[in-house]
Amino acid sequence: SKKAEDVISIHVAKLTSISDYFVICSASTDVQVKAIADGIRKGTENKAWRIEGYEQLNWVLLDYIDVVVHIFRTSERQYYQIERLWADAKKIKYND
């Protein structure tokens, strides 16, 4: 509902002990990154264990232990290419 772009989930449980899944999405503006982060925080029953990057809004990380959500500004996502780090993991792409 907050217009996240290029949403994917990556099943990383077999590759790392950090988390079971990463959810990655992009947004064009700081305002949109904030809206997506706020929407996820309000829409989940559990409080995030850790939140990083909320002040800068270039790359916001919401850590829910089993699921880590990465919300990138589009340019930051292109720069870091985090999906390439987990190339061996199963990916699911979500459409509207």
Side-chain angles (χ1 to χ4, degrees):
S1 70
K2 303 299 180 189
K3 307 293 184 194
E5 301 165 0
D6 197 17
V7 181
I8 65 167
S9 66
I10 303 175
H11 186 244
V12 295
K14 294 181 181 178
L15 303 173
T16 183
S17 61
I18 295 171
S19 184
D20 291 340
Y21 291 91
F22 288 165
V23 176
I24 304 170
C25 66
S26 305
S28 301
T29 66
D30 293 354
V31 172
Q32 191 177 11
V33 170
K34 183 179 185 311
I36 294 166
D38 291 345
I40 292 169
R41 292 172 68 192
K42 290 177 185 171
T44 56
E45 291 180 19
N46 299 325
K47 184 176 178 181
W49 179 69
R50 188 162 184 94
I51 299 170
E52 297 288 338
Y54 191 79
E55 294 78 22
Q56 294 81 24
L57 298 172
N58 291 320
W59 176 358
V60 176
L61 182 140
L62 305 173
D63 187 347
Y64 290 95
I65 309 294
D66 293 334
V67 176
V68 176
V69 180
H70 300 267
I71 309 162
F72 285 96
R73 286 275 308 266
T74 303
S75 58
E76 300 294 321
R77 185 172 180 181
Q78 291 170 349
Y79 178 80
Y80 288 106
Q81 298 182 7
I82 192 171
E83 296 95 323
R84 292 182 62 191
L85 295 174
W86 307 102
D88 295 338
K90 180 181 176 186
K91 295 176 183 70
I92 299 172
K93 184 171 176 104
Y94 298 92
N95 299 314
D96 281 346

